[in-house]
Amino acid sequence: QVQLVESGGGVVQPGGSLRLSCAASELDFSRYGMAWFRQAHGKERDVVAVVSWSGGNTYYTGPVKGRFTISRDNARDMVYLQMNSLKPEDTAVYYCAAGRLMDFTLDRITTSRTYSYWGQGTQVTVSS
């Protein structure tokens, strides 16, 4: 069965960096768009960044633009989220998700129900 396994979370001071990784298995990886969502305590799960199947299109939610970078390696079935200049408000559980993105419209890529497969999440805590 399809599995998405996140790693790389942890505790970091404000201004620090983390790199999240997501390993996919039993998935025709290069045919799927990949996304990172996050859910802070007591809040809804929201999209953070999305990358198309080829890597040619990316999307970032406003608060992370210029600080986070999503990338993928189709040869390794991996997707990454490089997070720089971290802020306390970035504290959340981060989830990797895979979906067949038939187009890269905003409504489609930012909606959680677009994504068929989800990882178990990795905690990111930004605190001094």
Side-chain angles (χ1 to χ4, degrees), residues 10-120:
V11 180
V12 63
Q13 292 187 341
S17 297
L18 282 174
R19 187 194 195 206
L20 304 184
S21 300
C22 173
S25 59
E26 303 300 326
L27 181 72
D28 194 355
F29 186 76
S30 64
R31 296 171 67 89
Y32 280 77
M34 300 298 296
W36 288 95
F37 283 73
R38 66 185 179 186
Q39 186 167 20
H41 183 66
K43 296 189 177 181
E44 294 185 354
R45 187 177 300 189
D46 291 324
V47 68
V48 175
V50 184
V51 62
S52 61
W53 64 271
S54 67
N57 291 301
T58 57
Y59 164 85
Y60 297 94
T61 189
V64 310
K65 280 182 181 177
R67 300 189 296 122
F68 290 12
T69 303
I70 189 170
S71 61
R72 64 186 297 158
D73 184 342
N74 285 351
R76 296 174 184 264
D77 292 357
M78 297 287 295
V79 63
Y80 307 98
L81 186 68
Q82 178 66 44
M83 305 187 294
N84 299 329
S85 302
L86 282 160
K87 304 176 181 180
E89 51 264 43
D90 295 318
T91 295
V93 178
Y94 283 71
Y95 297 91
C96 172
R100 293 294 305 275
L101 304 181
M102 299 307 175
D103 54 59
F104 210 74
T105 57
L106 199 61
D107 286 347
R108 184 180 298 277
I109 66 174
T110 59
T111 302
S112 59
R113 62 178 177 269
T114 293
Y115 300 89
S116 305
Y117 303 105
W118 293 82
Q120 82 288 350

